[in-house]
Amino acid sequence: MSLVVLISGRGSNLQAIAAAGLPVAAVISNRADAAGLEFARRHGIETAVVPHREFPSREAFDEALARIVDRCAPGAIALAGFMRIFTPGFVARYAGRLINIHPSLLPAFPGLDTHARALAAGVKLHGCTVHFVTADLDQGPIVAQAAVPVLTGDTAAELAARVLRQEHVIYPRALAWLLGGKLVIEDGRVRVNDSHAAQFVFSPDA
Ligand code: GRF
């Protein structure tokens, strides 16, 4: 079972996914200038650009995206910094296969600017969450989380970098579970069918 990765920018999670040896069938971006596309091309991974501005509606954009995704018949569709919100139809079509990484310990700080908001709130732990995508933004069933400390004097950029290192740990791990058919969703909660699986990481490393 392969996976398709959707990106809009840098692509560091894409790199971590590829470095973990996961079978990336294609990388699709809504932006032609996404740096992650260059990484994919250099590594012989099929790429496609679906520029959202060229579509008259969200439905039309999602249709075009789905046509490319379906050509790969992927076991998972991984959002990795993909900055578009899907229509409910797209989400329903890929239910149980559509997965995202979000840079906060959900349900805290859904949406944008999570690191600055975490600093402003004075939280002492921050982190990232891998979750299934549902029609409600950043609220799908949680697969894995990593926590890091918030240190005195942290800037949003420093905190973001600390969190990102852990994104690169938990996202490939969660995707391997999904592709391996190990994830079970029960009452909106996710269990891994593997007694050795750790669904959390705490990294005190600054
Ligand atoms: C990551 O922080 C991810 O959590 C968020 O967008 C960022 C993408 O970074 N959804 P990259 O493109 O994977 O480097």
Side-chain angles (χ1 to χ4, degrees):
M1 274 289 184
S2 66
L3 79 154
V4 167
V5 182
L6 305 189
I7 63 168
S8 295
R10 181 177 56 184
S12 73
N13 277 288
L14 164 67
Q15 292 192 34
I17 291 164
L22 293 168
V24 182
V27 174
I28 308 174
S29 174
N30 61 312
R31 300 180 54 112
D33 61 354
L37 287 172
E38 196 40 50
F39 169 85
R41 288 186 197 112
R42 275 204 316 273
H43 289 78
I45 301 170
E46 185 188 325
T47 62
V49 177
V50 185
H52 61 274
R53 286 209 179 81
E54 291 179 14
F55 293 86
S57 64
R58 279 189 192 279
E59 285 74 15
F61 171 75
D62 282 4
E63 242 338 288
L65 194 58
R67 268 199 298 276
I68 299 175
V69 168
D70 287 348
R71 279 211 300 265
C72 301
I77 300 107
L79 312 185
F82 186 68
M83 301 302 285
R84 303 297 300 166
I85 293 174
F86 294 120
T87 55
F90 187 95
V91 172
R93 181 179 186 136
Y94 299 111
R97 284 191 287 161
L98 194 56
I99 192 166
N100 183 40
I101 183 136
H102 179 78
S104 79
L105 290 173
L106 291 171
F109 311 119
L112 299 174
D113 294 327
T114 54
H115 309 299
R117 286 161 60 209
L119 288 177
V123 297
K124 306 308 171 205
L125 284 174
H126 184 45
C128 50
T129 303
V130 178
H131 65 94
F132 282 105
V133 176
T134 60
D136 301 312
L137 186 68
D138 298 332
Q139 287 182 46
I142 291 172
V143 178
Q145 293 187 301
V148 302
V150 179
L151 303 179
T152 308
D154 264 350
T155 63
E158 285 162 345
L159 186 53
R162 190 174 309 126
V163 170
L164 190 65
R165 283 195 287 279
Q166 300 311 316
E167 294 186 26
H168 298 163
V169 174
I170 62 168
Y171 208 9
R173 187 185 292 182
L175 285 167
W177 292 334
L178 179 57
L179 290 174
K182 294 194 168 144
L183 296 183
V184 184
I185 307 177
E186 283 164 347
D187 296 330
R189 293 188 292 266
V190 180
R191 187 166 55 75
V192 188
N193 238 339
D194 175 346
S195 53
H196 299 295
Q199 285 177 275
F200 64 89
V201 167
F202 174 63
S203 171
D205 308 334

